[in-house]
Structures are given as structure tokens and as C-alpha cells.
Amino acid sequence: MKQRETSLNSPLNGHQHMEDMGDEHIPGSFETPLREDAFEMDDELKMELIEKHFREIMHVLGLDLSDDSLKGTPRRVAKMFVKEIFSGLNPKNKPEITLFENKYRYNEMLVEKDITFYSFCEHHFVPIWGKAHVAYISSGKVIGLSKLNRIVQYYARRPQVQERMTVQIANELKAVLDTEDVAVLIDAKHMCVAARGVQDTASSTVTAYYGGRFKNEATKQEFLRYLSPTGE
Ligand SMILES: [Zn+2]
């Protein structure tokens, strides 16, 4: 399997035409570009409008919307966009995090690996899917394990760029756990690479973020060892 690794600890530089950026999947910023008025419409209205516009797209493509198999599609797509695959755009869907006092195992690394996620490339609106591995060293608080999963899912459920998603998850972990000592590694496949363009089905993209003590080579290696199939 061919992999390209992107380190996200150094700032991105260089200017490129926007379209080139989209084609090369280069992220512009680590904030999802949202308008100020992004959530002034409620979910019901968003679904109504998306349904209407998606019906129009299907119509333009030449599909017969009176067909039994197709007529419910615009509504299904609208509901899926708003309530499921892009629900992570809305801050009201952000997982509530409860922390616990860490009375023992103080200072040890916790790794939650193989968190399966499904996201969507914001340049082509087709799936990005793969595994996220996250780790942190407790500053005195610990988080429920399922919450690590929920944080990954929240940031996956929006149009994304893999590099940005990696940093967004890391930033959220740093904020809720009150520590710089977090690591995030994402290994994912992109439908837009596999099914169109260069049509490379074997490649996957690896992005990693190492904060605080994870920048230390020994700590980083310990984290990466946990991710190897044998756990060595
Ligand atoms: Zn794409």
C-alpha cells in the first residue's frame, strides 16, 4: 500500500489558485469555512430547500422524477445531509464532554485506535473513509472513551479536508483535556482519488498531528507502536 504522509505541525505556505487547491486537496485553513448566518435557518427549512434543489439537479441530469424508485430521493438526500452526514457542521450537535479525575495511572499515554469514520471531501462531495487513532497524556483529567469516538464523528460529519479534520480533532482534544499532549493519526481513502481523476484504488492518505510531549521522538514512537497490528 502506497502512503503519503503529511505533517501538520508546520504552517502551510504558498498561494495557489482556488481550483488548483481543490484539485490537489490542499486545505485553506483549519476552520471549516462557515458563513455568519449558517444556522439562522432551522433544519426543517434546510431540508425543504435542499430537497427542492436536489430534485432540480436530478431533473437536469435527465432523470424521470415521477419514477417510483427516484421520486423519494431528493427528500432522502436532504434528510441525510442535514441530519446525518453533515450534522457536524452545526455546533448544537457537538458532543458534550464530561471529564473524570484521574486518580491513578497519572502521566500515562492513553490510545484509542481504529475509530472508523465516514466523511466527505469538500472539493467533490464524495466519501472519505478510514480509521482515526487518537492519544493523549492526562493532565489530571480523563475523558470517557466513547467521547473520543464522538469527537472524531462530529468533525467527520461535515464536508472536509483530511488535514483540516486531523487538526480540528487535535484542537478539540487539547481544549477539552486541557493539555497540549495529544496525537491524532488518520489513515483514509478518498473516493475522489479512487474512482475519478488518477483512479488509484490502492493508495491511502495518512495525516498526523503531534502536540506537546508527542513531539518527543520516544513518545511519538510509543504511540505509533500501539498502532502497529502486532502492538509491538
Ligand atoms: Zn476530492
Side-chain angles (χ1 to χ4, degrees), residues 22 25 121-126 190 192-193 196:
H25 297 97
C121 162
E122 73 179 18
H123 303 126
H124 300 97
F125 271 55
V126 294
H190 294 235
C192 52
V193 176
R196 52 165 296 287

Side-chain angles (χ1 to χ4, degrees), residues 64-114:
D64 178 2
L65 270 298
S66 68
D67 184 88
D68 272 348
S69 174
L70 296 181
K71 67 182 178 200
T73 300
R75 182 67 189 169
R76 268 192 299 274
V77 169
K79 198 172 166 198
M80 179 180 71
F81 276 17
V82 173
K83 295 293 190 189
E84 294 168 330
I85 64 177
F86 301 137
S87 60
L89 284 171
N90 194 332
K92 78 168 197 238
N93 296 322
K94 193 167 173 174
E96 300 248 352
I97 304 298
T98 21
L99 296 174
F100 307 92
E101 283 301 324
N102 181 11
K103 297 203 175 85
Y104 21 74
R105 304 194 63 199
Y106 201 67
N107 273 346
E108 283 191 43
M109 184 187 303
L110 185 141
V111 181
E112 180 78 354
K113 64 177 190 175
D114 295 329

